[in-house]
Structures are given as structure tokens and as C-alpha cells.
């Protein structure tokens, strides 16, 4: 008889209470620190300030004027911890700038890890007939380190030795992002939404965050908007465009290695997503309807509709001959929002320039080609800079580009590259005591090269 069974018997006889409470306490402490290393945390490090609730006055909801607690002051404030925000924060912190990242969820990686978009394409381009790696520096270091801990396959093939187009394990990627951010010494606030900016004249001086502790403020010298949706430059009044795009939801299938694929093929099931480093799991992309990625009613409806369709499809697969062992392992915790706001920047990158590989004197990186089948496209610093608003840079899938280039610009590799560029520029601006638009781009490029980036 196990200890639990014994307690159940004793409890039924009315004798179990003292034993039961001991078991609960043991279970709780085991779960608090699986490896025994997690330190006890000090409670209430971010204190709740006084509340000033909104009021209904004469049929209008009025938010009264109120002071906000400043919980942190920093040199570089990065908003969003997706691929772009991660690279920006690591770059700025390694360059010696005091750096802070604010992320609405509880992990790094954005759509890559939370959206379960696991295939990193466009890490390479074709130059002089050769395949060359353009995603170097911080993005490449991350991918290499994930590979070293066994969280990676290449070319969507578990046996490929060719280090091209990696697919990463989401948990290994989150783990390594945490490590690199911690090593760089950046301060992190998870579970915090940036809901507004703090302006001083025409410049952004910080962000208002919303969390379980209410509304609070963080002050900064330079802000990097890596929110994907341009939430921060839009709040600051920077000129931008809104685009519609397909909204999908990625999901993962478990027990793939136990399914009988031949039988399934014979029953008409042609594809079952893409491989992951873990052989029993497949990730399945979903395109979804093209619509407004900022409309919460649309987002809510699509979360439910996609989840229903996915669940029902997997139930069907389980009834298909050969598919019996399959199960729905997970739907992505983050909806697959591809594009929403794009900065109207000092320089709008175009598809035409990209395919011609047009060179720019202020290049902060070079984008790649999905199959390494065309030239790399230098990315000018001006594509990250708003036309008017100061102290803010865009990075990732919301930088300034034309409609046709969106499909390349929003890929993970390109976001790691523009994030790296924005972080380096922010650090140089802080060190030079100037606005990001006045920064000496030569110094930014020197720092990027020092940090391993490829500038063409
Ligand atoms: C369904 C789908 C399939 C895709 N397939 C591929 C593929 O196969 N290969 C590929 O390379 N790319 C693919 N992409 C594109 C790629 O995943 C994203 O474009 C890329 O992750 C964008 O990186 P980012 O850092 O700019 O933004 P995101 O990854 O969106 O990260 C933004 C981060 O900011 C946080 N955030 C947002 N707003 C706030 C706020 N107000 N306050 C605080 N935090 C905030 C978010 O939580 C998130 O963590 C796909 C995208 C989708 C949706």
C-alpha cells in the first residue's frame, strides 16, 4: 500500500488529518523549487500605489488626473520581449547601457516561442552564387546556443548536418533567452503591459505600465518599440500605417512517432505539419483570414474559432486509420498576428531595393532570403526612426517598409537583426548623450561589428 493509499484509508476511518496535512506541506515545498535552487523571493518588491478609479460623470467615463509611481529609471527601455526586443535588450546591455525590458507575457520569444512559430527562415542569403549567413551576432549566438543544448534541427530534417533554416524547440529557446538576458544584466518586468508613453515636449521619456500592481511609470533615455504592433510609437503620435494580415493559430500534435503515416496517407491525410527537435511532436501552421489584428472582438472570435477547428480536426485525425495515437498537445498561447501597425519612418524600405540588394551608408544589418535564393537586403537605420517623435526606435515586425516587403521583414531572423540594430543604436545614443536621430551611425556600425553583426 502506498503512503497516499494509507492516508486515504486512515482518513476514511477519521484518523487521517494529521498525516494529510503533512503530505500537503511536502508536496507544496517539492513544487516550489524543482531543483532545490530557486531562492526564496522577497514579497512585495513592486508596491501597489494608491488607486484613482475612473468615474462615471454625466454619462462619460472620466479617468481622474493622478500621479504615478516611478518604479524604475533606465538608459534603454525595450518594450516587448519577442525576437526583436530580446536582441535589442542584449545588445544595449552588453554595450554597457542600463537596460530594462517590459513584456506583457511571462517569457521571451514573442510569436517565436509563444506563437509556436518554430521555423527560423531567412538566416542566409545568396551572394556571388554562394549561400552566406546574414543573421550573425546576437540572433546567431542564440540559435547556436539552443543547438548546443539539443533544442534544434536544421532544414526541417532531424538528420541534416547543414546548419541552415533551423527549427527550434520553444522551451529550449525560452530557457536560452532567459540565460542570455540574465548574463547581459538587463532588468526584466514580465506580466506588464505598456499602455501609454510619457512625453516631454516632442520626445518620449518613458512608458506607463499596467500590471497587477496597477498603473506605474518607468523613465528612460531611449525607448525601443519592439511590441510587434507599434503600440508605443502609436501612443507617442508617430506617423504610421495600419495593415491587415492573416491571423492564424499554431498548434502542436503529440505522438507523431507512434502514428502509422502510411496508413494515414492511404486514408487521404497528406501532411501533418513540420518536424520539431522532439521526434514525437509536430508543429502545424495556420494562415487564417486576413483582418484587423488590433480589433479585440476579431482577436477574441478567432481565438475561439481557430481553437474549435483545430480541436475538431485532431479528433478527426484520431479516428483516421493510423492516426489513433495522435493527440492535441497544445494550441499556441499567443494568437498568430502577422502585421498590424508599420512605422512611417525616415526611410521606407522597399521590396524593389531589397531584391536589388541596394546598399545604404547607414545599414544596421542585412536581411536574408527564405531559401537563400536571392541577395541579402541591407537595412538602413532610417527604417527604425520615426519622422518626428524623438527618443524612440522601432524594431522587428513594425519597422518602416512597403507592403510587398512585409513578408520578409517580419520573419524571425530579420526581427533579430533589426532588434540588434535598434539596441546598439539606443546604447550609442545614450553614451553620446544625443537623440537617436542624431547618433553617429559609424559608431553604431562599429558596435554592431564588435557584437558580431553582419552589415554587408
Ligand atoms: C502564424 C504565423 C506563422 C509564422 N511563420 C513564420 C515562420 O515560419 N518563420 C519565420 O521566421 N517567421 C514566421 N512568422 C513571423 C514571426 O514569427 C514574427 O513576425 C516575429 O516573431 C516578430 O518578432 P517581433 O519581435 O517583431 O514581434 P513579436 O514576436 O510579436 O513579439 C512582440 C512582443 O511584444 C510583446 N508586447 C506586445 N505589445 C506589448 C505591450 N503593449 N506591452 C508589453 N509587451 C508587449 C508581446 O507579448 C511579444 O512578446 C510567422 C508569424 C505568424 C503569426
Amino acid at each position: 500500500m502506498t503512503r497516499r493509499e494509507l492516508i486515504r484509508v486512515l482518513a476514511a476511518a477519521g484518523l487521517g488529518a494529521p498525516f494529510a496535512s503533512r503530505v500537503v506541506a511536502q508536496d507544496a515545498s517539492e513544487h516550489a523549487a524543482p531543483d532545490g535552487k530557486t531562492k526564496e523571493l522577497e514579497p512585495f518588491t513592486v508596491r501597489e500605489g494608491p488607486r484613482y478609479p475612473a468615474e462615471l460623470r454625466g454619462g462619460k467615463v472620466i479617468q481622474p488626473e493622478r500621479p504615478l509611481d516611478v518604479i524604475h529609471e533606465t538608459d534603454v527601455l525595450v518594450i516587448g520581449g519577442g525576437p526583436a526586443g530580446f536582441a535589442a535588450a542584449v545588445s544595449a546591455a552588453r554595450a554597457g547601457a542600463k537596460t530594462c525590458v517590459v513584456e506583457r507575457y511571462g517569457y521571451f520569444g514573442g510569436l517565436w516561442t509563444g506563437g509556436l512559430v518554430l521555423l527560423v527562415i531567412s538566416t542566409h542569403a545568396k551572394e556571388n552564387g554562394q549561400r552566406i549567413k546574414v543573421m550573425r551576432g546576437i540572433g546567431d549566438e542564440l540559435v547556436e546556443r539552443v543547438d548546443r543544448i539539443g533544442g534544434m534541427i536544421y532544414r526541417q530534417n532531424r538528420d541534416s548536418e547543414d546548419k541552415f533554416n533551423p527549427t527550434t524547440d520553444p522551451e529550449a529557446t525560452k530557457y536560452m533567452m532567459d540565460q542570455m538576458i540574465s548574463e547581459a544584466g538587463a532588468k526584466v518586468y514580465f506580466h506588464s503591459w505598456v499602455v501609454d508613453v510619457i512625453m516631454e515636449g516632442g520626445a518620449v521619456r518613458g512608458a506607463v505600465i499596467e500590471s497587477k500592481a496597477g498603473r506605474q511609470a518607468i523613465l528612460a533615455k531611449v525607448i525601443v518599440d519592439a511590441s510587434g504592433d507599434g503600440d508605443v510609437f502609436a501612443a507617442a503620435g508617430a506617423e504610421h500605417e495600419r495593415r491587415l494580415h492573416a491571423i492564424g493559430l499554431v498548434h502542436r500534435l503529440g505522438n507523431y512517432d507512434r502514428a502509422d503515416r502510411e496508413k494515414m496517407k492511404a486514408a487521404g491525410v497528406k501532411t501533418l505539419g513540420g518536424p520539431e527537435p522532439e521526434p514525437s511532436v509536430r508543429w502545424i501552421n495556420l494562415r487564417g483570414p486576413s483582418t484587423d489584428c488590433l480589433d479585440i472582438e476579431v482577436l477574441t472570435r478567432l481565438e475561439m474559432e481557430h481553437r474549435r477547428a483545430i480541436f475538431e480536426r485532431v479528433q478527426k485525425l484520431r479516428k483516421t486509420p493510423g492516426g489513433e495515437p495522435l493527440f492535441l498537445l497544445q494550441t499556441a498561447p499567443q494568437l498568430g498576428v502577422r502585421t498590424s501597425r508599420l512605422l512611417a519612418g525616415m526611410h521606407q524600405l522597399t521590396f524593389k531595393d531589397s531584391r536589388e540588394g541596394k546598399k545604404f551608408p547607414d545599414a544596421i544589418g542585412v536581411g536574408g532570403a527564405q531559401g537563400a535564393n536571392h541577395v541579402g537586403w541591407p537595412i538602413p537605420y532610417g527604417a527604425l526612426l520615426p519622422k518626428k517623435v524623438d527618443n524612440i526606435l522601432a524594431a522587428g515586425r513594425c519597422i518602416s517598409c512597403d507592403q510587398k516587403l512585409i513578408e520578409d521583414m517580419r520573419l524571425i531572423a530579420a526581427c533579430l537583426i533589426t532588434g540588434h540594430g535598434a539596441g546598439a543604436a539606443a546604447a550609442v545614443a545614450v553614451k553620446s548623450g544625443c537623440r537617436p536621430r542624431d547618433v553617429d551611425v559609424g559608431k553604431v556600425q562599429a558596435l554592431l561589428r564588435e557584437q558580431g553583426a553582419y552589415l554587408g
Side-chain angles (χ1 to χ4, degrees), residues 79-85 102-105 109-112 117 119-121 192-194 226-228 231 250 283 285-286 334 336-338 395-397 410-412 415:
I79 291 139
V102 176
E103 164 57 49
R104 68 180 156 167
Y105 297 130
L111 286 166
W112 185 6
V117 170
L119 175 60
V120 185
I121 36 185
S192 310
W193 276 76
V194 166
S227 66
D231 288 4
V250 175
W283 76 282
N285 205 343
L286 190 154
Q334 251 168 276
V337 165
R338 287 177 169 87
R397 65 180 169 86
R410 68 184 182 84
L411 295 173
I412 295 164
C415 293

Side-chain angles (χ1 to χ4, degrees), residues 106-219:
Y107 50 82
F108 285 105
L111 286 166
W112 185 6
T113 59
L116 296 173
V117 170
L118 304 178
L119 175 60
V120 185
I121 36 185
S122 280
T123 53
H124 290 65
K126 193 166 159 190
E127 308 232 325
N128 302 320
Q130 300 284 319
R131 198 173 78 202
I132 62 146
K133 192 192 275 183
V134 294
M135 190 190 80
R136 302 189 200 168
I138 288 162
D140 189 43
E141 178 186 330
L142 169 63
V143 165
E144 287 279 328
R145 288 177 69 170
V146 173
D147 190 13
R148 269 184 256 141
I149 57 168
M152 183 87 66
I153 56 168
Y154 293 95
R155 301 202 79 131
Q156 304 204 66
N157 180 342
R158 207 158 290 100
D159 302 320
S160 176
E161 304 259 308
D162 181 9
K163 295 203 160 191
F164 175 55
N165 280 355
T167 302
T168 65
D169 175 84
E171 292 306 321
T173 310
K174 284 184 205 166
Y175 167 83
M176 195 49 76
M177 288 175 133
D178 286 347
Q179 298 268 311
M180 285 176 66
I181 286 279
S182 306
E183 286 164 12
K187 168 98 184 151
V188 181
Y189 289 107
F190 282 148
H191 303 291
S192 310
W193 276 76
V194 166
V195 291
D196 211 345
V197 284
I198 301 161
M199 300 296 291
E200 193 174 44
V204 187
R205 285 282 287 113
V208 177
I209 65 166
E210 187 89 48
S211 73
K212 288 287 179 185
R215 273 192 174 206
Q216 288 160 324
I218 298 176
L219 295 177

Side-chain angles (χ1 to χ4, degrees), residues 2 6 20 33 38 41 69 131 138 157 179 182 184 236 241 255 271 287 289 312 333-334 406 414:
T2 65
L6 173 68
T38 311
L41 298 174
D69 280 350
R131 198 173 78 202
I138 288 162
N157 180 342
Q179 298 268 311
S182 306
E241 298 164 39
N255 270 348
T271 56
R287 192 161 169 81
E312 289 173 5
Q334 251 168 276
I406 290 176

Side-chain angles (χ1 to χ4, degrees), residues 360-364 380-382 385 425 428 436-449 455:
F360 301 104
D362 61 341
I364 48 89
Y381 179 49
L385 269 176
V428 172
R437 72 176 68 256
D438 297 328
V439 90
D440 177 346
V441 178
K443 282 189 185 165
V444 178
Q445 292 169 328
L447 172 61
L448 282 167
R449 285 200 180 94
L455 305 184

